[in-house]
Amino acid sequence: MTFKFKRKRLLLSEKYKGSKAIGYARAAHNEYEYLEEQIKLLKEEGCSLVFSEFISLDEEIKPQLNQAINYLTKGDQLIITQLDRAFKNKKDCLRTINKLINMNIKLRTLTGFFAAEESSKAVSSIFKILYDLENLEDKSLGERKKEQLLRRKLSGNNLGGRPKISPLKESLVIRLRNEGYSYRSIRSQTGIALSTIRRVILEGELK
């Protein structure tokens, strides 16, 4: 849903030529009054346009939020009542802030750290650093997982997802299959799970 209306007053940023303030409001599907309250506050703040929607916070794609961001241009402001209206977690928030900074668009909330009218290069630098640190954490975690898998593979430990059986049992499974026994018969004779029997036989055929 999109709401248009006349402004009663201008935001500080809107005093500059070509800049505009756009609002975004979000609520759960049954929170009608809460959505209306957000829209009212954003109107009073001076937003010329408010994009709003009933959608779960956990949804990966919020269509009206994307439309609001796409509507903004250099020097504009995106205003929300509070961070959890638009972002489900820290990573989601930092990623979007970094995107807005690169577009020279300011994010403001009606309370908290983002409530200040004036932005600065220092604030932008802080969020760029936080965004880089978040990416560093993800990359480091990915590298650690790869190293753990490699160490487990080299040591012969089970990598997870595939039950590990001894070479002797693998040979027994293949021999029984070659002798014409069914998968279920092999399971009853060896006690090995059907999924593992299928894997051993398939891998034996590929060798």
Side-chain angles (χ1 to χ4, degrees):
M1 294 182 294
T2 305
F3 294 81
K4 294 184 179 180
F5 36 77
K6 292 182 180 180
R7 297 187 297 269
K8 294 182 179 180
R9 62 185 179 86
L10 293 176
L11 290 172
L12 182 62
S13 63
E14 292 184 296
K15 294 180 181 179
Y16 299 97
K17 184 179 179 180
S19 65
K20 56 184 177 292
I22 300 300
Y24 172 73
R26 182 199 63 80
H29 292 284
N30 60 342
E31 297 180 326
Y32 298 99
E33 292 183 359
Y34 187 29
L35 188 69
E36 290 178 356
E37 178 187 350
Q38 292 175 63
I39 294 170
K40 179 177 180 293
L41 291 171
L42 292 170
K43 287 170 60 176
E44 292 174 350
E45 189 65 18
C47 291
S48 58
L49 184 63
V50 173
F51 292 82
S52 67
E53 57 191 336
F54 291 106
I55 191 169
S56 169
L57 178 62
D58 292 328
E59 289 292 336
E60 292 292 334
I61 298 176
K62 298 179 177 63
Q64 291 299 313
L65 176 59
N66 290 340
Q67 284 195 35
I69 293 174
N70 292 335
Y71 189 84
L72 295 163
T73 57
K74 182 178 179 180
D76 292 345
Q77 291 189 37
L78 174 64
I79 304 179
I80 54 181
T81 56
Q82 53 192 33
L83 291 177
D84 67 356
R85 294 303 86 205
F87 313 117
K88 64 178 182 179
N89 54 39
K90 178 182 67 175
K91 184 174 183 178
D92 186 25
C93 181
L94 288 174
R95 182 171 58 244
T96 304
I97 289 175
N98 186 67
K99 177 180 178 179
L100 295 175
I101 288 174
N102 291 333
M103 296 168 63
N104 197 20
I105 293 170
K106 183 180 177 183
L107 172 69
R108 280 214 303 119
T109 60
L110 301 188
T111 59
F113 178 81
F114 292 90
E117 285 277 4
E118 296 295 340
S119 62
S120 67
K121 291 183 178 180
V123 171
S124 296
S125 297
I126 289 171
F127 283 100
K128 282 184 175 292
I129 292 170
L130 290 173
Y131 179 72
D132 288 340
L133 289 175
E134 186 75 17
N135 286 337
L136 172 62
E137 186 175 312
D138 287 345
K139 290 178 180 178
S140 298
L141 180 60
E143 184 172 338
R144 284 195 293 271
K145 286 182 178 179
K146 288 180 181 178
E147 290 176 349
Q148 290 173 359
L149 288 174
L150 179 60
R151 285 196 296 268
R152 291 169 65 184
K153 184 176 181 180
L154 292 174
S155 64
N157 292 331
N158 183 13
L159 298 181
R162 289 183 172 186
K164 187 72 173 179
I165 62 174
S166 68
L168 184 62
K169 282 193 173 183
E170 287 186 355
S171 298
L172 177 59
V173 167
I174 293 173
R175 180 174 65 80
L176 290 172
R177 183 59 177 171
N178 290 338
E179 291 175 0
Y181 288 96
S182 68
Y183 285 10
R184 294 186 182 278
S185 179
I186 295 172
R187 181 183 65 177
S188 65
Q189 294 184 61
T190 63
I192 300 172
L194 283 175
S195 59
T196 303
I197 292 171
R198 292 192 186 96
R199 175 178 62 80
V200 169
I201 292 171
L202 178 61
E203 289 178 349
E205 293 173 349
L206 294 175
K207 291 180 180 178

